[in-house]
Amino acid sequence: MDTIHIRGGRRLKGAIPVSGAKNAALPLMTAALLTDEPLRLSNMPRLTDVKTLGKLLAHLGAELSVEPGEHADTTTIRAADIKSTTAPYEIVSQIRASFWVLGPLLARCHQARVSLPGGCAIGARPVDLYIKGLQKMGAEIDLVEGYVVASAPGGLKGAIVRSPVVSVGATHTLLMAATLAEGETVLENAAREPEIGDVARCLVAMGAKISGIGTSTLRIEGVEKLHGATHSVIADRIEAGTYAIAAAMTGGEVTLEGVDPETFDAALSVLRAAGAGVDTEQGAVRIFRNGERLQATDVVTQVFPGFPTDLQAQFMALMTTADGESEITETIFENRFMHVQELARFGADISLHGDKALVRGVPKLKGAPVMASDLRASAALIIAGLAAEGETVINRVYHLDRGFERIEAKLGACGAEIWREKA
Ligand code: EPZ
């Protein structure tokens, strides 16, 4: 297994081009199943999760072609014939977003058999909201031997679905299902994450009738058929936020290129509150710190537009050397603190109390061998390693490759001493 090595203590200085968002690219790929015409997606990130989902789509009968570009790929997916409506355990267990083929398969083929999902080990992650929503739209659903077996003879019907919990995945699934349902569907308490808006805009380009994009009430008037389209994936706000935190951690100055600052405004506000400098302009954000120690700052993870759970681990790494005590509350996933014990290896002082982590800032971290437990936790370990004295070795970096494109190259170009050793 590959390892990533960092000799810490260097300030990051330079510019980082931000890639297309993994969490938009994946649902956008599944949207290709809604039509027999080609869906052309540009600004696609080069990530193992994208490849894994590509394998699933190919298994279902889609044809995929990838045109490599200088900074990003363009992927064209054509699902002219759906040959299978079964998404097997072997693939779905590797990546949670592959479960989301349930919506488009059921909408277009009126049946689907999809393995219960896997993904990052950050909590129980049930799928009850998906199932209840689809049932409201007329689907019959059984759980058989670890598979969700769904059918909608005659097609899905529009319905009012109010979700008790805001769920990104359930919103993607029900939104796609509704595009081809008969009549109007209203999704109340829908997720408002920018990736949902990106997918909704792509669906509109494919001929879907959707209003309320960007709000928590989505109205979808079902159409008989969707057609092909071309769409550019939005920039990855979590990748951008991660590099912003890395810049603040090392006391450097980094310009993030190709981002929409509004999509990670909550993170930028918290960085400002902690004492980092943040300048935003159209399509770019500059993060800097003038050498003074950051101030301990509390955060509570929330659904968009709140502070994202996908930046919680990275922000905790930042707080390990801040002045004072910060309280970090995780409200979205109940088990998203696996990075705490790894940060302790650097000398961080963190105690856990239910859904809260209390971080007492220490003056310095020391490099250590550590183990990545999930995707965003691995990024937190990189951030700690960049600031720590001495060498850090990160094991299980396959987690990182799922969601961060060329992280060593991007950080290396800003002066970090970071390299990968192949197993
Ligand atoms: C998406 O996961 C993202 N994944 C996650 O990013 C992200 O952390 C999460 O949204 C929250 O923003 C992708 O976009 C591929 P949810 P998802 O359904 O859709 C509960 C990363 O690192 N819930 O919004 O799985 C659930 O348990 C990943 O890139 C139910 O109770 O998250 C959780 O507490 C990790 N029943 C809450 O809702 C359900 O049926 C929010 O989960 C569904 C969800």
Side-chain angles (χ1 to χ4, degrees):
M1 256 183 271
D2 293 2
T3 46
I4 284 191
H5 298 243
I6 304 172
R7 206 161 291 126
R10 292 192 168 211
R11 294 178 173 213
L12 294 181
K13 211 165 174 18
I16 299 184
V18 174
S19 298
K22 167 183 84 87
N23 289 350
L26 299 174
L28 284 165
M29 290 171 76
T30 69
L33 296 173
L34 288 163
T35 173
D36 57 4
E37 294 182 15
L39 178 64
R40 191 175 146 83
L41 300 170
S42 60
N43 199 32
M44 286 287 285
R46 296 167 183 139
L47 301 168
T48 51
D49 269 10
V50 166
K51 284 202 188 117
T52 309
L53 183 58
K55 274 191 208 148
L56 174 61
L57 298 180
H59 168 87
L60 300 175
E63 285 170 10
L64 287 88
S65 65
V66 178
E67 296 160 52
E70 194 187 340
H71 294 300
D73 291 341
T74 296
T75 302
T76 303
I77 306 169
R78 180 161 193 202
D81 292 309
I82 303 232
K83 296 196 174 73
S84 164
T85 51
T86 294
Y89 169 82
E90 293 68 33
I91 303 183
V92 186
S93 57
Q94 290 178 44
I95 153 180
R96 187 173 175 85
S98 57
F99 182 74
W100 301 349
V101 298
L102 178 62
L105 285 178
L106 197 50
R108 179 162 158 205
C109 309
H110 304 171
Q111 59 176 40
R113 185 172 164 268
V114 181
S115 168
L116 285 166
C120 280
I122 53 181
R125 307 186 82 182
V127 292
D128 55 312
L129 302 172
Y130 301 62
I131 292 177
K132 284 188 191 126
L134 291 170
Q135 282 172 332
K136 265 211 120 178
M137 295 173 72
E140 286 166 21
I141 300 187
D142 288 312
L143 268 181
V144 185
E145 294 166 352
Y147 279 73
V148 172
V149 180
S151 66
L156 291 167
K157 308 266 182 294
I160 297 176
V161 182
R162 182 171 176 83
S163 180
V165 175
V166 175
S167 162
V168 170
T171 304
H172 280 307
T173 304
L174 299 177
L175 173 63
M176 288 193 209
T179 58
L180 294 178
E182 188 189 322
E184 188 185 60
T185 299
V186 184
L187 300 180
E188 294 177 348
N189 205 24
R192 283 199 282 154
E193 270 60 11
E195 294 76 21
I196 303 272
D198 199 39
V199 168
R201 281 185 292 276
C202 176
L203 292 170
V204 168
M206 293 167 72
K209 292 191 176 151
I210 305 171
S211 61
I213 296 175
T215 75
S216 52
T217 304
L218 293 168
R219 281 176 192 276
I220 307 108
E221 183 64 45
V223 294
E224 261 186 29
K225 228 174 153 8
L226 294 180
H227 50 72
T230 297
H231 181 82
S232 175
V233 179
I234 51 163
D236 196 320
R237 65 195 168 101
I238 304 302
E239 189 198 19
T242 300
Y243 290 131
I245 292 171
M249 181 79 174
T250 62
E253 182 184 331
V254 168
T255 302
L256 303 164
E257 295 172 342
V259 289
D260 175 358
E262 279 188 17
T263 60
F264 62 121
D265 188 53
L268 294 175
S269 300
V270 174
L271 282 173
R272 278 195 190 100
V278 179
D279 280 346
T280 59
E281 54 183 81
Q282 193 75 17
V285 175
R286 188 171 69 95
I287 311 287
F288 53 97
R289 177 154 74 85
N290 61 10
E292 274 186 28
R293 200 169 169 195
L294 293 176
Q295 293 301 311
T297 308
D298 296 344
V299 299
V300 180
T301 62
Q302 262 151 7
V303 297
F304 189 83
F307 187 92
T309 173
D310 289 349
L311 287 175
Q312 179 257 106
Q314 300 90 314
F315 188 74
M316 191 183 296
L318 180 68
M319 289 295 101
T320 59
T321 57
D323 190 12
E325 282 187 2
S326 54
E327 187 182 82
I328 298 181
T329 310
E330 172 58 56
T331 70
I332 310 290
F333 292 111
E334 68 279 11
N335 189 24
R336 209 172 197 180
F337 279 137
M338 307 239 285
H339 40 283
V340 168
Q341 63 186 34
E342 296 305 304
L343 288 172
R345 295 182 197 276
F346 292 92
D349 181 353
I350 308 170
S351 53
L352 281 179
H353 310 273
D355 63 354
K356 294 185 196 314
L358 194 65
V359 187
R360 291 172 212 87
V362 295
K364 255 196 181 325
L365 298 181
K366 294 238 162 63
V370 289
M371 185 90 79
S373 55
D374 65 73
L375 167 57
R376 308 304 174 185
S378 350
L381 303 180
I382 296 248
I383 288 167
L386 288 172
E389 236 169 41
E391 191 173 322
T392 291
V393 181
I394 302 173
N395 294 283
R396 296 202 185 157
V397 294
Y398 54 85
H399 286 295
L400 211 55
D401 296 331
R402 293 184 51 191
F404 288 93
E405 181 177 328
R406 299 183 307 114
I407 194 163
E408 317 92 274
K410 288 188 184 188
L411 289 170
C414 290
E417 215 176 320
I418 177 168
W419 67 98
R420 179 182 293 246
E421 288 188 5
K422 295 262 176 207

